[in-house]
Amino acid sequence: MRIDARGLRFDVTAGGPEQGEPVLLLHGFPQHSGEWDGVTPALHTAGLRTYALDQRGYSPGARPEAVEAYRLAELVADAVAVLDGLGVAAAHVVGHDWGAVVGWALAAGHPDRVRTLTAVSVPHPAAMAHAMAQDPQQKARSAYMLLFRQPGVAEKTLLALGASGLRRLLSGVGDGARVASYADPMREPGALTAALNWYRAMSRADLAATGPVAVPTSYVWSDRDVAIGRTAAEACAVHVVGEYRFVELPGVSHWIPDEAAASLAEAILARVRPAG
Protein backbone atom coordinates (compact mmCIF):
# COMPACT_ATOMS: atom_id res chain seq x y z
CA MET A 1 0.00 0.00 0.00
CA ARG A 2 0.97 3.65 -0.30
CA ILE A 3 0.48 6.32 2.35
CA ASP A 4 0.45 10.00 1.42
CA ALA A 5 1.94 12.02 4.26
CA ARG A 6 3.72 15.35 4.59
CA GLY A 7 3.61 15.90 0.84
CA LEU A 8 5.38 12.60 0.18
CA ARG A 9 4.22 9.10 -0.76
CA PHE A 10 5.50 6.20 1.32
CA ASP A 11 5.42 2.52 0.40
CA VAL A 12 4.20 0.29 3.24
CA THR A 13 3.98 -3.51 3.27
CA ALA A 14 1.15 -4.68 5.52
CA GLY A 15 0.65 -8.22 6.78
CA GLY A 16 -0.94 -10.32 9.47
CA PRO A 17 -4.42 -10.24 10.98
CA GLU A 18 -6.13 -6.94 10.26
CA GLN A 19 -7.38 -6.68 13.84
CA GLY A 20 -4.04 -7.60 15.39
CA GLU A 21 -2.02 -5.22 17.52
CA PRO A 22 -0.04 -2.99 15.13
CA VAL A 23 3.74 -3.25 14.75
CA LEU A 24 5.64 -0.56 12.83
CA LEU A 25 8.85 -1.93 11.27
CA LEU A 26 11.63 0.52 10.38
CA HIS A 27 14.53 -0.67 8.21
CA GLY A 28 18.15 0.46 8.08
CA PHE A 29 20.82 1.39 5.51
CA PRO A 30 21.12 0.37 2.72
CA GLN A 31 18.12 -1.91 2.88
CA HIS A 32 14.35 -1.50 2.68
CA SER A 33 11.23 -3.00 4.19
CA GLY A 34 12.14 -6.39 2.73
CA GLU A 35 14.68 -6.89 5.50
CA TRP A 36 11.77 -7.93 7.74
CA ASP A 37 10.65 -10.78 5.48
CA GLY A 38 12.21 -13.41 7.72
CA VAL A 39 10.80 -11.88 10.89
CA THR A 40 7.19 -11.12 10.06
CA PRO A 41 5.83 -14.69 9.67
CA ALA A 42 6.35 -15.38 13.38
CA LEU A 43 4.75 -12.06 14.29
CA HIS A 44 1.75 -12.81 12.09
CA THR A 45 1.38 -16.27 13.61
CA ALA A 46 1.32 -14.59 17.02
CA GLY A 47 -1.60 -12.46 15.86
CA LEU A 48 0.20 -9.19 15.21
CA ARG A 49 -0.48 -6.81 12.32
CA THR A 50 2.77 -5.55 10.77
CA TYR A 51 3.45 -2.41 8.76
CA ALA A 52 6.93 -2.39 7.18
CA LEU A 53 7.72 1.13 6.00
CA ASP A 54 10.08 2.11 3.19
CA GLN A 55 11.34 5.27 4.81
CA ARG A 56 12.25 8.69 3.43
CA GLY A 57 14.70 8.33 0.55
CA TYR A 58 13.84 4.67 0.05
CA SER A 59 10.24 5.06 -1.11
CA PRO A 60 10.58 6.52 -4.64
CA GLY A 61 7.74 8.94 -3.88
CA ALA A 62 9.47 10.23 -0.75
CA ARG A 63 12.86 11.31 -2.03
CA PRO A 64 13.45 15.06 -1.47
CA GLU A 65 16.75 16.45 -2.75
CA ALA A 66 17.91 18.69 0.09
CA VAL A 67 20.25 17.10 2.62
CA GLU A 68 18.51 19.01 5.41
CA ALA A 69 15.32 17.12 4.57
CA TYR A 70 16.89 14.00 6.10
CA ARG A 71 17.54 15.30 9.61
CA LEU A 72 16.37 13.10 12.44
CA ALA A 73 13.38 15.29 13.28
CA GLU A 74 12.06 14.88 9.72
CA LEU A 75 12.44 11.10 9.86
CA VAL A 76 10.55 10.91 13.14
CA ALA A 77 7.82 13.18 11.80
CA ASP A 78 7.43 10.80 8.86
CA ALA A 79 6.84 7.86 11.19
CA VAL A 80 4.20 9.80 13.11
CA ALA A 81 2.49 10.89 9.90
CA VAL A 82 2.47 7.35 8.50
CA LEU A 83 0.89 6.07 11.71
CA ASP A 84 -1.72 8.79 11.28
CA GLY A 85 -2.28 7.73 7.67
CA LEU A 86 -2.72 4.12 8.76
CA GLY A 87 -5.20 5.15 11.43
CA VAL A 88 -2.94 3.71 14.14
CA ALA A 89 -2.98 5.60 17.43
CA ALA A 90 -0.03 3.71 18.91
CA ALA A 91 2.12 0.84 17.68
CA HIS A 92 4.79 -1.52 18.86
CA VAL A 93 7.87 -0.12 17.12
CA VAL A 94 10.78 -2.21 15.85
CA GLY A 95 13.76 -0.58 14.15
CA HIS A 96 17.08 -1.85 12.83
CA ASP A 97 20.19 0.28 12.21
CA TRP A 98 18.97 3.76 11.16
CA GLY A 99 15.45 2.49 11.77
CA ALA A 100 16.49 1.95 15.38
CA VAL A 101 17.64 5.58 15.59
CA VAL A 102 14.23 6.70 14.37
CA GLY A 103 12.55 4.31 16.79
CA TRP A 104 14.51 5.65 19.77
CA ALA A 105 13.72 9.26 18.88
CA LEU A 106 10.08 8.42 18.20
CA ALA A 107 9.71 6.72 21.58
CA ALA A 108 11.48 9.58 23.37
CA GLY A 109 9.56 12.37 21.67
CA HIS A 110 6.16 10.73 21.12
CA PRO A 111 5.72 8.10 23.84
CA ASP A 112 1.96 8.20 23.35
CA ARG A 113 2.45 6.71 19.86
CA VAL A 114 4.74 3.86 20.97
CA ARG A 115 3.43 0.88 22.93
CA THR A 116 6.80 -0.83 23.14
CA LEU A 117 10.17 -0.38 21.46
CA THR A 118 12.52 -3.06 20.15
CA ALA A 119 15.69 -1.39 18.89
CA VAL A 120 18.05 -3.58 16.88
CA SER A 121 21.81 -3.07 16.50
CA VAL A 122 22.02 0.69 17.11
CA PRO A 123 21.71 1.94 20.71
CA HIS A 124 20.01 5.09 21.98
CA PRO A 125 21.28 8.06 19.93
CA ALA A 126 22.73 9.81 22.98
CA ALA A 127 24.69 6.68 23.90
CA MET A 128 25.93 6.45 20.32
CA ALA A 129 26.92 10.13 20.22
CA HIS A 130 28.85 9.79 23.47
CA ALA A 131 30.68 6.66 22.33
CA MET A 132 31.58 8.23 18.98
CA ALA A 133 33.08 11.20 20.81
CA GLN A 134 34.81 9.43 23.69
CA ASP A 135 35.55 5.79 22.84
CA PRO A 136 38.54 5.25 20.49
CA GLN A 137 37.26 1.86 19.39
CA GLN A 138 33.83 3.24 18.52
CA LYS A 139 35.49 6.10 16.64
CA ALA A 140 37.32 3.52 14.55
CA ARG A 141 34.16 1.49 13.99
CA SER A 142 32.32 4.63 12.82
CA ALA A 143 35.06 5.83 10.47
CA TYR A 144 33.09 4.61 7.44
CA MET A 145 30.69 7.50 8.03
CA LEU A 146 33.40 9.92 6.89
CA LEU A 147 33.17 8.36 3.42
CA PHE A 148 29.38 8.23 3.46
CA ARG A 149 29.19 11.95 4.21
CA GLN A 150 31.19 12.91 1.09
CA PRO A 151 28.74 13.78 -1.74
CA GLY A 152 29.61 12.08 -5.00
CA VAL A 153 32.65 10.31 -3.61
CA ALA A 154 30.63 7.83 -1.61
CA GLU A 155 28.27 7.11 -4.50
CA LYS A 156 31.18 6.53 -6.88
CA THR A 157 32.96 4.27 -4.43
CA LEU A 158 29.94 2.14 -3.59
CA LEU A 159 28.50 1.87 -7.11
CA ALA A 160 31.71 1.29 -9.08
CA LEU A 161 32.17 -2.02 -10.89
CA GLY A 162 28.53 -3.03 -10.73
CA ALA A 163 28.10 -1.78 -7.16
CA SER A 164 30.78 -4.15 -5.91
CA GLY A 165 31.48 -1.93 -2.89
CA LEU A 166 27.84 -1.92 -1.91
CA ARG A 167 27.63 -5.67 -2.40
CA ARG A 168 30.66 -6.21 -0.15
CA LEU A 169 29.02 -4.05 2.50
CA LEU A 170 25.93 -6.26 2.34
CA SER A 171 27.78 -9.57 2.21
CA GLY A 172 26.54 -10.57 5.66
CA VAL A 173 22.85 -10.56 4.72
CA GLY A 174 22.89 -13.90 2.97
CA ASP A 175 23.31 -15.35 -0.51
CA GLY A 176 23.80 -13.45 -3.75
CA ALA A 177 20.09 -13.11 -4.40
CA ARG A 178 19.56 -11.55 -0.99
CA VAL A 179 22.44 -9.14 -1.51
CA ALA A 180 21.05 -8.18 -4.92
CA SER A 181 17.59 -7.56 -3.43
CA TYR A 182 19.09 -4.69 -1.45
CA ALA A 183 21.88 -3.53 -3.77
CA ASP A 184 19.86 -3.33 -7.00
CA PRO A 185 17.33 -0.72 -5.77
CA MET A 186 20.24 1.45 -4.62
CA ARG A 187 21.48 1.58 -8.22
CA GLU A 188 18.35 3.43 -9.34
CA PRO A 189 18.96 7.14 -10.10
CA GLY A 190 19.03 9.17 -6.90
CA ALA A 191 18.33 6.26 -4.57
CA LEU A 192 21.77 5.85 -3.02
CA THR A 193 22.22 9.61 -2.64
CA ALA A 194 18.93 9.83 -0.77
CA ALA A 195 19.93 6.96 1.52
CA LEU A 196 23.35 8.51 2.18
CA ASN A 197 21.71 11.83 2.98
CA TRP A 198 20.68 10.30 6.30
CA TYR A 199 24.38 10.31 7.21
CA ARG A 200 25.02 13.72 5.68
CA ALA A 201 22.19 15.31 7.65
CA MET A 202 23.23 13.63 10.89
CA SER A 203 24.75 15.69 13.67
CA ARG A 204 26.02 14.58 17.05
CA ALA A 205 23.99 17.42 18.55
CA ASP A 206 20.77 15.95 17.14
CA LEU A 207 21.70 12.50 18.43
CA ALA A 208 22.73 13.73 21.86
CA ALA A 209 19.55 15.77 22.22
CA THR A 210 17.36 12.66 22.07
CA GLY A 211 15.72 12.34 25.46
CA PRO A 212 15.28 9.32 27.71
CA VAL A 213 12.86 6.58 26.73
CA ALA A 214 10.10 5.66 29.17
CA VAL A 215 8.21 3.02 27.17
CA PRO A 216 8.98 -0.70 27.72
CA THR A 217 12.11 -1.29 25.65
CA SER A 218 14.36 -4.09 24.43
CA TYR A 219 17.70 -3.43 22.81
CA VAL A 220 19.00 -6.30 20.66
CA TRP A 221 22.74 -6.23 19.94
CA SER A 222 25.06 -8.79 18.35
CA ASP A 223 28.66 -9.22 19.45
CA ARG A 224 30.03 -9.48 15.90
CA ASP A 225 28.60 -6.13 14.84
CA VAL A 226 31.50 -4.32 13.17
CA ALA A 227 29.74 -0.95 13.42
CA ILE A 228 28.60 -0.94 17.06
CA GLY A 229 30.93 -1.90 19.89
CA ARG A 230 30.14 -3.08 23.39
CA THR A 231 30.83 0.32 24.98
CA ALA A 232 28.04 1.99 23.03
CA ALA A 233 25.75 -1.02 23.44
CA GLU A 234 26.06 -1.22 27.21
CA ALA A 235 25.76 2.56 27.62
CA CYS A 236 22.28 2.32 26.16
CA ALA A 237 20.69 1.34 29.49
CA VAL A 238 21.40 4.77 31.01
CA HIS A 239 18.99 6.36 28.53
CA VAL A 240 15.98 4.12 29.24
CA VAL A 241 13.91 4.98 32.30
CA GLY A 242 11.16 2.48 31.53
CA GLU A 243 11.33 -1.31 31.81
CA TYR A 244 14.43 -2.36 29.87
CA ARG A 245 15.93 -5.56 28.53
CA PHE A 246 19.34 -5.96 26.84
CA VAL A 247 19.36 -8.95 24.48
CA GLU A 248 22.78 -10.04 23.22
CA LEU A 249 23.03 -12.39 20.24
CA PRO A 250 26.44 -14.10 20.24
CA GLY A 251 28.14 -14.89 16.95
CA VAL A 252 25.79 -12.72 14.88
CA SER A 253 26.81 -9.81 12.65
CA HIS A 254 25.21 -6.38 12.20
CA TRP A 255 22.59 -7.81 9.84
CA ILE A 256 20.41 -9.31 12.58
CA PRO A 257 17.02 -9.35 10.77
CA ASP A 258 18.57 -11.34 7.91
CA GLU A 259 21.03 -13.51 9.81
CA ALA A 260 19.07 -14.25 12.98
CA ALA A 261 15.43 -13.66 12.05
CA ALA A 262 14.07 -16.33 14.40
CA SER A 263 16.00 -15.03 17.40
CA LEU A 264 14.94 -11.47 16.64
CA ALA A 265 11.28 -12.46 16.28
CA GLU A 266 11.53 -14.19 19.65
CA ALA A 267 12.94 -11.02 21.23
CA ILE A 268 10.21 -8.89 19.66
CA LEU A 269 7.47 -11.20 20.88
CA ALA A 270 8.98 -11.32 24.37
CA ARG A 271 8.79 -7.53 24.44
CA VAL A 272 5.35 -7.19 22.87
CA ARG A 273 3.83 -10.00 24.94
CA PRO A 274 5.92 -10.51 28.06
CA ALA A 275 5.21 -13.53 30.20
CA GLY A 276 2.53 -12.92 32.78
Side-chain angles (χ1 to χ4, degrees):
M1 68 172 68
R2 289 186 170 86
I3 300 294
D4 291 325
R6 309 187 69 219
L8 304 172
R9 177 164 290 182
F10 294 91
D11 295 332
V12 179
T13 301
E18 291 189 7
Q19 302 306 314
E21 292 182 32
V23 180
L24 180 66
L25 300 167
L26 304 170
H27 66 83
F29 173 90
Q31 298 175 281
H32 49 66
S33 58
E35 78 164 284
W36 303 109
D37 288 351
V39 177
T40 52
L43 305 188
H44 298 161
T45 298
L48 298 171
R49 176 71 168 175
T50 61
Y51 298 100
L53 169 64
D54 284 327
Q55 298 190 82
R56 178 175 293 232
Y58 295 84
S59 287
R63 198 168 283 167
E65 293 185 5
V67 171
E68 294 77 14
Y70 294 85
R71 292 187 66 178
L72 182 55
E74 299 293 339
L75 310 174
V76 172
D78 290 343
V80 172
V82 168
L83 288 176
D84 289 342
L86 291 168
V88 172
H92 301 285
V93 175
V94 182
H96 172 241
D97 186 75
W98 262 111
V101 177
V102 176
W104 285 114
L106 176 64
H110 302 272
D112 57 314
R113 308 305 300 268
V114 181
R115 299 187 185 191
T116 67
L117 173 66
T118 302
V120 187
S121 296
V122 176
H124 187 285
M128 189 65 187
H130 179 78
M132 289 171 65
Q134 302 296 329
D135 178 36
Q137 290 189 353
Q138 187 57 56
K139 288 182 181 180
R141 289 173 182 267
S142 301
Y144 69 92
M145 295 184 188
L146 297 176
L147 169 64
F148 286 3
R149 289 167 67 90
Q150 297 182 54
V153 177
E155 287 88 338
K156 182 177 180 180
T157 301
L158 292 173
L159 294 178
L161 301 175
S164 61
L166 191 60
R167 294 177 190 278
R168 283 195 301 273
L169 176 68
L170 288 161
S171 60
V173 304
D175 60 19
R178 193 68 175 162
V179 170
S181 74
Y182 298 130
D184 289 350
M186 288 289 98
R187 300 176 70 184
E188 297 172 3
L192 181 58
T193 294
L196 289 168
N197 279 344
W198 288 51
Y199 291 92
R200 293 164 186 166
M202 178 186 70
S203 74
R204 286 183 184 170
D206 284 348
L207 297 179
T210 305
V213 170
V215 306
T217 297
S218 291
Y219 171 47
V220 183
W221 176 74
S222 45
D223 64 1
R224 293 190 181 179
D225 192 322
V226 298
I228 308 295
R230 186 172 293 276
T231 297
E234 294 185 348
C236 189
V238 176
H239 301 279
V240 183
V241 297
E243 196 273 313
Y244 177 68
R245 186 176 301 138
F246 176 49
V247 181
E248 181 174 339
L249 301 181
V252 178
S253 75
H254 176 77
W255 311 103
I256 293 174
D258 291 281
E259 187 178 346
S263 296
L264 178 54
E266 181 180 349
I268 295 168
L269 291 172
R271 169 50 60 201
V272 171
R273 299 202 173 149

